[in-house]
Amino acid sequence: MQINQIVNVDLVKQMNSAVVYKFIDQQGPISRIQISELSQLAPASVTKITRNLLARGLIKEVEQQESTGGRRATSIVAEQKVFRTLLVHLGRQKIVLAIMDLSSKLVKHCAFDFPQTQNLADVEAALLTNISQFLAENEKKNAELIAIGITVSGFINAKNNLIENLPHFSLAQPWDLANRLEKHFNLPTYIGQDVRSLALAEHYFGVTKDCYDSLLLRIHRGVGAGIVINHEVFQGYRNNVGEIGHIQVDPLGKRCLCGNVGCLETVVSNAAIENKMQQMLEDGYQSKWLSLESHDIEAICKASNKNDAVASELIEHVGVQIGRVLAMSVNMFNPEKIVISGEITQAKAILFAAIRKTLESHALPTSVVNTPLVASELENEDVIGAFALIKRALFDGSLLQHLLAEQSAE
Ligand SMILES: [Zn+2]
């Protein structure tokens, strides 16, 4: 009983510090009185917590003119430039490394091909070497690296942080990458599936900031979704929710990576669209803007924006297929907002009209009539999800606790 009480006191302290830090990060400059009012914590508690955060350098005081009178009030903002994060994205073909400061400003970015080997130890060794070199090249005096965020295009077990599956690399057993990096670099490390992490980033920094729940559909090399419910990414007991790209839309369609046929991904991924356009051009469809040499996704979107008939027809077909799958999702959980992310949103005019029309005829009218459909405006889409995982650890108190504990141990 006694032990439980001690644990609970620590947890409450951690939670309170996190609440205060989050208000300062998201609403700063903010005064201690305002924090106390918003958080409903006693002024004395706020003073104590801010003292600890100040001592660690995580926040700083700024003088601010009170709008009602001449008296200057001391406000607090989060310190963002000094603290840096290392971000790693394991994509289907590329590995991306980046450094961001806590304001989500990209400091450095590099990408290299996924090592051409089927030996996991070799992949891991190459990754460690590349990261070490990247960090050494970009070291900066007075800047502190505080955490690593990793996103993976594959399956992650959220309970033990193991990578269970990668689309282009067969794992004999789950890969303990997060733990290995944490030990090697002696930094707290957070790992997540890439689209689910992107949905979290969209909620922290993007167009779903104001939403209680939302659905993000990401169309890139693959197709996936991230669902935010009650301000948190829906993870599920068995993980790997939101595999919307593997809902069948064409029973006589192409074979998918997952083994089934005609999945949404085989029709609307960037490669699927480019291949379909290639086939249409080979079949003699005429386009003023596209040719067998130049018909990548960006060119197709541009042509569609110029009302090119072939490009517009293909984008419309893609929009209808997306709309059909989104309609099922809307009927299932009725999100406040739907966000589409990916290169294809450059053809927004025709794409969104087709999605909207299909949604309206396939989903419950009451669910869909007031549901905004918007394009993601996030920058650094390849690594912003990994950054969001680190922000989440600051906001839930776990990373904050680690940083504060380091200080008291010194
Ligand atoms: Zn599939």
Side-chain angles (χ1 to χ4, degrees):
M1 194 63 198
Q2 197 122 35
I3 289 170
N4 274 338
Q5 278 168 352
I6 293 167
V7 169
N8 286 341
V9 168
D10 278 346
L11 190 64
V12 169
K13 272 189 187 168
Q14 176 178 330
M15 295 300 289
N16 288 348
S17 298
V19 165
V20 169
Y21 178 80
K22 194 175 176 185
F23 277 121
I24 297 170
D25 183 71
Q26 302 204 314
Q27 304 198 24
I30 185 170
S31 70
R32 289 179 176 80
I33 298 293
Q34 286 170 310
I35 298 170
S36 167
E37 281 164 3
L38 287 168
S39 64
Q40 302 191 325
L41 290 168
S45 304
V46 173
T47 301
K48 197 175 165 205
I49 291 168
T50 52
R51 192 186 302 138
N52 288 336
L53 294 173
L54 273 170
R56 182 62 179 83
L58 286 158
I59 58 171
K60 59 188 177 188
E61 289 182 330
V62 286
E63 288 274 306
Q64 219 195 12
Q65 195 82 31
E66 198 80 76
S67 59
T68 48
R71 208 172 66 88
R72 279 176 183 276
T74 303
S75 288
I76 307 168
V77 292
E79 176 56 75
Q80 296 182 316
K81 303 281 168 214
V82 172
F83 298 103
R84 290 177 160 195
T85 60
L86 170 70
L87 311 174
V88 181
H89 172 60
L90 299 190
R92 292 197 182 193
Q93 286 148 20
K94 298 255 177 212
I95 296 179
V96 178
L97 302 179
I99 295 172
M100 254 184 201
D101 72 18
L102 279 185
S103 72
S104 80
K105 184 179 158 247
L106 189 67
V107 176
K108 204 78 196 180
H109 181 276
C110 80
F112 54 93
D113 289 335
F114 205 101
Q116 292 292 316
T117 164
Q118 278 303 317
N119 184 333
L120 188 64
D122 291 344
V123 175
E124 196 175 291
L127 189 56
L128 284 174
T129 308
N130 275 302
I131 294 176
S132 301
Q133 197 181 341
F134 181 68
L135 289 177
E137 281 166 6
N138 296 292
E139 229 174 324
K140 193 181 165 230
K141 230 179 150 189
N142 302 327
E144 180 186 348
L145 195 63
I146 57 167
I148 302 174
I150 313 169
T151 51
V152 179
S153 159
F155 291 163
I156 306 288
N157 184 330
K159 282 170 211 76
N160 51 25
N161 291 329
L162 296 177
I163 302 173
E164 290 187 331
N165 167 283
L166 290 170
H168 285 281
F169 187 95
S170 70
L171 293 171
Q173 59 204 43
W175 187 12
D176 196 10
L177 177 66
N179 242 326
R180 309 279 282 199
L181 293 189
E182 178 155 313
K183 285 207 183 91
H184 189 90
F185 295 100
N186 193 24
L187 285 168
T189 302
Y190 306 91
I191 189 166
Q193 195 272 350
D194 59 355
V195 182
R196 260 64 94 195
S197 307
L198 197 61
L200 186 66
E202 201 68 58
H203 184 55
Y204 284 161
F205 322 113
V207 290
T208 60
K209 219 173 177 175
D210 54 344
C211 296
Y212 177 87
D213 52 37
S214 54
L215 173 78
L216 173 110
L217 178 68
R218 168 79 173 156
I219 300 171
H220 190 54
R221 291 207 169 82
V223 175
I227 301 163
V228 172
I229 297 177
N230 189 13
H231 306 289
E232 285 180 28
V233 173
F234 176 48
Q235 201 72 55
Y237 182 76
R238 297 179 63 183
N239 303 303
N240 308 323
V241 291
E243 287 302 330
I244 210 167
H246 299 286
I247 291 177
Q248 192 186 56
V249 294
D250 182 3
L252 300 175
K254 292 214 163 75
R255 180 73 62 188
C256 179
L257 268 181
C258 73
N260 295 334
V261 293
C263 296
L264 182 66
E265 186 168 302
T266 66
V267 180
V268 310
S269 71
N270 287 355
I273 295 171
E274 289 163 357
N275 291 341
K276 180 74 187 170
M277 180 53 78
Q278 164 130 9
Q279 192 196 322
M280 289 167 84
L281 293 167
E282 281 171 356
D283 286 349
Y285 283 79
Q286 294 295 317
S287 164
K288 192 176 161 193
W289 309 98
L290 302 167
S291 65
L292 282 170
E293 292 73 40
S294 166
H295 59 277
D296 66 4
I297 185 73
E298 316 234 329
I300 296 170
C301 291
K302 266 188 198 149
S304 134
N305 289 339
K306 287 172 178 156
N307 286 320
D308 178 77
V310 186
S312 302
E313 204 172 303
L314 180 52
I315 294 292
E316 200 177 327
H317 172 72
V318 163
V320 170
Q321 302 309 320
I322 293 172
R324 289 172 63 178
V325 170
L326 282 180
M328 299 180 209
S329 315
V330 166
N331 283 355
M332 285 290 283
F333 95 111
N334 197 9
E336 221 181 315
K337 197 180 264 185
I338 300 171
V339 187
I340 314 277
S341 156
E343 289 80 359
I344 196 172
T345 57
Q346 291 165 28
K348 195 176 149 183
I350 289 174
L351 180 75
F352 279 30
I355 297 177
R356 169 65 65 194
K357 203 174 149 203
T358 312
L359 269 177
E360 280 168 7
S361 58
H362 285 65
L364 263 183
T366 47
S367 298
V368 85
V369 71
N370 290 319
T371 311
L373 177 67
V374 296
S376 171
E377 290 164 9
L378 283 180
E379 288 176 3
N380 307 310
E381 282 170 328
D382 51 355
V383 290
I384 191 74
F387 180 70
L389 297 175
I390 295 175
K391 272 277 172 172
R392 180 169 68 187
L394 279 170
F395 292 162
D396 72 19
S398 54
L399 176 56
L400 205 59
Q401 195 54 35
H402 174 86
L403 292 167
L404 292 169
E406 262 180 351
Q407 161 184 266
S408 45
E410 271 164 18

